[in-house]
């Protein structure tokens, strides 16, 4: 089988639409860059779509093929005061002088539990390829806590490769988890996971390029003649189609094949009229800042960073709603220090540590009650609804529903044809 190589992981060749979606995400989409230093780098979207089908095609067990609860491992937390934590790059507060992690150091001082912290997750698919064989064999992967995007969290849970969390060890997490993150369809009641951050897809625009006009709907992006040739959509299928579904009055969590086709047709008309300049990955940020793109569908983490340097860059949350996803903390099966991992999860749901983290990484904070603490660090960040959504914004949040492998292949074929990929 012809392979496309990326790090330690390979996916089918260029004839496979799902593999092409993975390739788009890795090379120019949300999987392409590091987290904060180069703006946006989630690893969801089309990368998420590519993950399931491509992994199955290469012999990795399909989700659901071995459904089971994770075997309960012996927990050595009481006598081994440590926890091993794997996370994304640039996804933890750091002291630039000492290169130490202040919030982790404070956790250790308080609890006596040392944290072996490794920023070794650069891509969801690559990380899954690194750990999947050990998990499949029922082995300890040498990590007590991992952070992965919601589609991969869902997959690991379905495969029975993570442990159920003990609510008794998570009093702050249970009390302070924001309502919009409480009950994802892939982990009802958060039995196995807690979000590290939220990821929002919104509309961004350059006020200078729009002549001072606000752009606040997908309809405006697709139909406003004043924006012709200066509109950007994302090369990640879930973001662009999901935002269009919302604009059509459809719920991305419940849409049908006909709804999907209607969204593709809506976008195709704008492509044919040359309303849309191009479909992009992270590279839309330079065009938005310069004004080559007057308005676009964008990731909120980028907007926070861009607006800090360029006051002409603004954002809008459409009345129809916006797409939301999350990166999530899970305890793998056979982890040696489950109780210590739960203690660390709970720590980051206290307002102080949560605010310290949010101030550094600038993503949606899933913890209620942190505004006052964040204001002590940075008053402007504490006012940003892209970091601390108010109730009105949280109510407009929508998730893209899980897809079957057949749906993924069909949907990606249609989207790839739309964007010319």
């Amino acid at each position: 089988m012809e392979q496309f190589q990326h790090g330690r992981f390979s996916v089918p060749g260029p004839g496979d639409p799902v593999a092409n979606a993975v390739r788009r995400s890795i090379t120019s989409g949300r999987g392409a860059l590091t987290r904060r230093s180069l703006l946006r780098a989630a690893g969801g979207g089309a990368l998420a779509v590519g993950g399931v089908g491509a992994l199955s095609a290469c012999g990795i067990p399909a989700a659901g093929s071995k459904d089971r609860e994770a075997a309960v491992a012996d927990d050595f937390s009481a006598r081994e005061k440590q926890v091993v934590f794997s996370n994304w790059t640039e996804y933890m507060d750091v002291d630039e002088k000492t290169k130490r992690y202040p919030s982790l150091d404070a956790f250790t001082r308080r609890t006596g539990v040392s944290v072996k912290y490794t920023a070794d997750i650069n891509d969801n698919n690559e990380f899954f390829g690194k750990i999947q064989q050990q998990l499949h064999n029922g082995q300890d992967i040498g990590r007590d806590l991992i952070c992965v995007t919601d589609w991969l969290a869902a997959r690991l849970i379905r495969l029975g490769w993570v442990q159920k969390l003990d609510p008794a060890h998570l009093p702050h997490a249970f009390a302070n988890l924001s309502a919009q993150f409480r009950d994802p369809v892939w982990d009802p009641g958060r039995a196995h996971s807690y979000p590290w951050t939220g990821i929002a897809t919104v509309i961004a625009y350059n006020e200078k390029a729009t002549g001072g006009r606000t752009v606040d709907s997908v309809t405006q992006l697709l139909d406003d003649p004043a924006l012709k040739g200066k509109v950007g959509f994302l090369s990640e299928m879930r973001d662009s189609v999901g935002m269009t579904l919302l604009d059509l009055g459809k719920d991305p969590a419940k849409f049908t094949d006909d709804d999907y086709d209607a969204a593709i047709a809506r976008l195709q008309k704008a492509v044919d009229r040359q309303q849309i300049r191009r479909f992009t990955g992270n590279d839309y940020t330079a065009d938005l800042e310069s004004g080559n793109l007057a308005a676009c569908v964008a990731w909120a983490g980028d907007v926070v960073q861009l607006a800090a340097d360029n006051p002409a860059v603004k954002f809008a949350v459409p009345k129809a709603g916006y797409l939301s996803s999350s990166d999530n903390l899970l305890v793998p099966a056979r982890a040696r220090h489950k109780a210590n991992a739960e203690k660390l999860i709970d720590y980051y749901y206290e307002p102080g540590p949560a605010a310290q983290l949010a101030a550094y990484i600038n993503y949606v904070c899933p913890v209620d009650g942190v505004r006052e603490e964040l204001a002590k660090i940075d008053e402007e960040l504490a006012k940003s609804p892209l970091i601390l959504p108010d109730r009105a914004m949280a109510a407009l949040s929508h998730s893209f529903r899980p897809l079957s492998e057949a749906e993924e292949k069909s949907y990606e074929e249609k989207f790839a044809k739309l964007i010319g990929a």
Side-chain angles (χ1 to χ4, degrees):
M1 177 172 66
E2 186 181 3
Q3 303 287 311
F4 166 69
Q5 298 293 330
H6 175 68
R8 301 179 185 82
F9 183 67
S10 59
V11 297
D16 188 308
V18 180
N20 289 336
V22 178
R23 185 181 294 106
R24 287 199 304 272
S25 187
I26 289 171
T27 57
S28 64
R30 288 193 282 186
L33 305 173
T34 58
R35 288 274 170 176
R36 189 172 183 270
S37 59
L38 294 176
L39 298 176
R40 184 69 177 91
L47 180 62
V49 173
V52 180
L55 294 174
S56 296
C58 289
I60 295 172
S65 64
K66 280 197 172 186
D67 287 330
R68 62 190 184 275
E69 281 300 321
V72 177
D74 292 332
D75 193 346
F76 297 87
S77 293
R79 62 177 181 269
E80 295 179 3
K81 296 290 187 178
Q82 61 180 285
V83 61
V84 182
F85 182 9
S86 278
N87 203 352
W88 293 80
T89 56
E90 301 293 338
Y91 226 21
M92 179 67 74
D93 58 299
V94 62
D95 185 316
E96 299 297 341
K97 292 182 179 180
T98 65
K99 303 304 179 183
R100 296 190 62 82
Y101 305 103
S103 63
L104 288 177
D105 287 345
F107 170 79
T108 298
R109 288 194 298 270
R110 183 200 297 183
T111 65
V113 175
S114 64
V115 182
K116 181 181 179 182
Y117 181 79
T118 308
D120 61 346
I121 303 178
N122 295 294
D123 174 89
N124 283 294
N125 279 325
E126 182 185 47
F127 184 67
F128 184 79
K130 187 187 300 185
I131 65 176
Q132 64 88 21
Q133 194 61 57
Q134 289 169 285
L135 291 170
H136 181 65
N137 293 339
Q139 299 171 342
D140 176 14
I141 64 170
R143 299 167 175 86
D144 304 304
L145 194 62
I146 60 175
C147 181
V148 296
T149 305
D150 46 18
W151 70 269
L152 182 53
R155 183 179 179 84
L156 293 171
I157 291 167
R158 289 196 303 268
L159 287 167
W161 289 353
V162 296
Q163 299 188 48
K164 278 191 172 181
L165 301 174
D166 185 347
H169 295 163
L170 298 159
H172 295 99
F174 181 80
N176 295 335
L177 177 61
S178 297
Q180 74 178 95
F181 296 103
R182 279 194 175 271
D183 199 32
V185 65
W186 48 268
D187 188 21
R190 289 288 180 181
H192 304 83
S193 67
Y194 269 90
W196 181 246
T197 56
I199 303 159
T201 303
V202 296
I203 290 175
Y205 61 97
N206 185 314
E207 203 169 40
K208 289 184 178 179
T210 66
R213 295 166 61 245
T214 297
V215 181
D216 58 8
S217 72
V218 171
T219 292
Q220 195 173 354
L221 290 175
L222 295 177
D223 295 337
D224 187 343
L227 299 176
K228 184 176 180 178
K230 295 183 178 181
V231 170
F233 274 73
L234 294 167
S235 57
E236 306 283 3
M237 182 271 286
R238 294 186 182 208
D239 293 289
S240 288
V241 174
M243 292 291 281
T244 306
L245 283 167
L246 285 168
D247 193 67
L248 290 170
K250 304 298 182 180
D251 185 348
K254 300 176 181 178
F255 68 89
T256 65
D257 286 350
D258 287 343
D259 295 334
Y260 184 89
D261 289 344
I264 291 291
R266 180 90 168 90
L267 289 164
Q268 186 66 59
K269 288 181 180 179
V271 170
D272 294 342
R273 296 197 316 270
Q274 298 182 331
Q275 178 79 6
I276 297 175
R277 183 185 183 97
R278 64 191 185 105
F279 291 82
T280 72
N282 294 76
D283 50 326
Y284 72 84
T285 56
D287 280 339
L288 178 63
E289 189 168 26
S290 69
N292 288 333
L293 287 177
C296 61
V297 175
W299 293 306
D302 289 348
V303 180
V304 173
Q305 294 292 324
L306 288 172
D309 297 325
N310 184 350
V313 174
K314 308 290 185 180
F315 80 95
V317 178
K319 292 180 180 178
Y322 67 98
L323 263 290
S324 180
S325 57
S326 58
D327 286 334
N328 307 274
L329 301 171
L330 302 99
V331 177
R334 301 293 183 183
R336 288 178 62 90
H337 311 106
K338 177 175 179 284
N340 289 342
E342 291 167 334
K343 190 175 293 186
L344 185 58
I345 294 172
D346 197 59
Y347 168 76
Y348 279 105
Y349 273 81
E350 296 179 28
Q356 190 170 351
L357 180 67
Y360 185 82
I361 65 175
N362 294 171
Y363 284 83
V364 177
C365 180
V367 184
D368 280 342
V370 303
R371 191 177 305 277
E372 184 177 342
E373 292 295 326
L374 184 55
K376 295 176 183 177
I377 302 170
D378 190 315
E379 290 186 1
E380 291 304 311
L381 291 180
K383 296 175 184 177
S384 173
L386 297 183
I387 296 176
L388 298 179
D390 55 24
R391 289 184 180 180
M393 182 169 175
L396 293 171
S397 171
H398 296 267
S399 298
F400 200 97
R401 71 170 172 81
L403 302 178
S404 69
E405 291 185 26
E407 286 176 324
E408 287 161 2
K409 183 175 181 180
S410 172
Y411 292 173
E412 282 296 349
E413 283 179 342
K414 294 173 181 178
F415 187 70
K417 183 179 179 180
L418 167 74
I419 69 174

